[in-house]
Structure formats: structure tokens, C-alpha cells
Amino acid sequence: MTLVDTHCHLDFSAYDGLRDEIIAEAAASGVTRIINPGSDLDRSRAAIALAEMYPGVYAATGVHPNSTADFSAAHLGALRNLATHPKVVAIGEIGLDYYWDDSPKDVQRAAFEAQLDLAATLELPVIVHNRDASDDVLAVLAAWTATLPAALRDRPGVFHSFSAPQSTAERGLALGFYLGFTGPVTFKNADDLRRIAARVPADRLLVETDGPFLTPHPYRGRRPNRPAYVRFIAERLAALHAVPFDELAAQTTANAERLFARLGQG
Ligand SMILES: [Zn+2]
């Protein structure tokens, strides 16, 4: 049994002094591979540095919508160079965030579209952050997926830490996207999210921690979240899909390998 934690911000300072321990702990519990998404240029470089240091760590490179206020052509060029690294498996995390006010909507959208175009050029899938922006995210992605190269058509990317209504799930799935689930699917008050997760086709499910945030039950509230805890999310999804844990683990791992082709076989 192996699992892939498809989204953990190992580069964040919450993990300073803990990385050797938590990466070893994860591997010992079957979580042999971890994808560290970038949230801005420096953090993308830090993710690549960790991928070079730890065999089981992979990186994504991108500028998070909350960090796009000064996004420029120079950023895009730097991202293009970073993304040629062999352990960069995706462009991300990118998207729209209307909850926070850190960057104007039109600026977020321009940065999102520019990074989507880069992903298409490089034939890399995208890790999408969507917070309170489902309609605009779906509109941008619908336009993007209409022009995708063949290599990405059935694996354009993932809605990471899915937390939107059922209709968004359906529209995202129809565009070919995978859905990633995090700690909230284990929370007591999350019946709506569990109903959505139960209906996602098994071959489109991904598990992720989004560490250091969103620590799942039974450790909810404890910081930082740890990649080993992605098991609790997989266990909950197995129950929701009424399949044995090992089957759900194998399925989500195969899904991660299919979507993030540079992960290879582990
Ligand atoms: Zn994230």
C-alpha cells in the first residue's frame, strides 16, 4: 500500500526542523511521495530545492492568486525556467481567491490565464486553487480546456482541496479535472462535502493534506498537519465509496501517477 500526498507545503516555515522526521514518518506509513506546490516564485524555488533533497518529494511551480498583485512577464519567464526541472510535476497552485483581498480580481485572472497558457505550452497539468470564485474559475478553465494539446486533454489538472458546491464538482469533472480532498472531508460538520466526495468517479479522486493547514480528524486543530495523516482522508473516502482501504489507496495512487505523469511509478 502506498499513498501520494498530492499537496503539502513542506517549504513553509511551519516545517522548519521537522522535515527529516515527518518525511521519514510519512514513508514509514506508506506515504512515499509528496507534491510540494509553489505559492510564489521564491516558494516555488524552495519546493524544487526540497525535491532535490528528498527522493520522494516532487514540486509544482506557480504563483497563488493571493500573491499575484505584482505578477509580471518576468515572473512568467522565471516560472517557465523553473518548470523545466525534471521533478516539477505541475503548474500550481494557481487560480482565483475572492475570499481574501490581496490582489484585484482582474489581476488574479490575468495571472491565472497566463500560467494556464504556460502549462499548456509545457504540457503540464495544473493545480487549481478556488476560493469563493467557482463561476469565474470554471469560465476560465472552460476556455482553456477548449484549446488544450492532446497530451493534457484527459488530464488537465486538479481542483485542489475541493470545497465548492456539487454543481462546481460536476462542471469541473465534465472539463476532465480531478478533485482533491483534504482534512475537511473528515470533519464532523462536513456531510455536504462527503456527499460530493461519494459521487466523484473513483478514477478522478486524489488525496492531499494541504499541510501545514487542515489537519484531519482525529488530530484536527493540531499544527502542522503531516503527510502521514493523508491516510485519514483516504480511509474516509474508502468508506464513502464502500471499497476496502487498500483498493482506494491503490486507485488514488494510480490517479496521481496518471495526472502528474512526471511522478513516475513508485
Ligand atoms: Zn495549498
Side-chain angles (χ1 to χ4, degrees):
M1 189 287 298
T2 69
L3 287 166
V4 181
D5 180 357
T6 58
H7 197 115
C8 181
H9 296 279
L10 284 173
D11 60 292
F12 282 16
S13 59
Y15 292 115
D16 287 354
L18 291 172
R19 290 185 189 93
D20 287 354
E21 174 199 333
I22 67 154
I23 290 168
E25 169 199 71
S29 61
V31 185
T32 51
R33 287 170 288 175
I34 301 164
I35 298 174
N36 187 145
S39 45
D40 61 25
L41 270 188
D42 285 344
R43 305 252 57 92
S44 295
R45 290 189 187 99
I48 290 173
L50 290 174
E52 288 178 341
M53 202 176 308
Y54 297 100
V57 174
Y58 294 78
T61 52
V63 177
H64 185 288
N66 292 340
S67 298
T68 53
D70 64 349
F71 192 85
S72 69
H75 288 91
L76 199 62
L79 282 175
R80 175 189 295 267
N81 288 335
L82 291 174
T84 59
H85 191 284
K87 290 193 83 178
V88 171
V89 301
I91 297 296
E93 58 185 289
I94 61 175
L96 301 174
D97 190 318
Y98 295 168
Y99 180 82
W100 299 105
D101 240 354
D102 298 339
S103 176
K105 287 182 181 178
D106 59 323
V107 174
Q108 290 189 34
R109 185 167 176 145
F112 186 26
E113 290 174 336
Q115 293 181 92
L116 287 168
D117 286 345
L118 175 64
T121 302
L122 300 175
E123 298 191 347
L124 285 171
V126 293
I127 298 171
V128 176
H129 172 100
N130 165 32
R131 190 154 185 200
D132 296 350
S134 293
D135 285 343
D136 286 355
V137 165
L138 286 162
V140 169
L141 292 178
W144 179 66
T145 52
T147 64
L148 276 184
L152 288 182
R153 230 165 270 155
D154 60 350
R155 44 178 283 272
V158 56
F159 277 68
H160 120 78
S161 197
F162 189 82
S163 61
Q166 173 72 29
S167 60
T168 303
E170 287 167 7
R171 291 160 72 194
L173 288 166
L175 293 175
F177 279 80
Y178 291 57
L179 302 189
F181 289 90
T182 48
V185 83
T186 69
F187 293 173
K188 223 176 200 156
N189 56 354
D191 288 336
D192 287 349
L193 185 61
R194 278 189 282 277
R195 262 191 291 277
I196 293 169
R199 289 190 201 163
V200 176
D203 62 358
R204 300 287 193 89
L205 279 174
L206 294 176
V207 291
E208 46 173 298
T209 56
D210 203 14
F213 314 111
L214 300 176
T215 307
H217 177 82
Y219 299 121
R220 184 176 183 179
R222 211 179 278 184
R223 286 277 192 101
N225 195 356
R226 303 165 79 99
Y229 295 170
V230 85
R231 181 189 182 96
F232 298 117
I233 294 144
E235 283 173 352
R236 187 58 71 106
L237 292 177
L240 290 169
H241 279 252
V243 296
F245 172 74
D246 282 352
E247 186 179 324
L248 189 287
Q251 175 71 255
T252 55
T253 294
N255 295 347
E257 290 171 348
R258 190 184 324 115
L259 176 60
F260 303 111
R262 284 188 189 167
L263 267 185
Q265 308 290 310

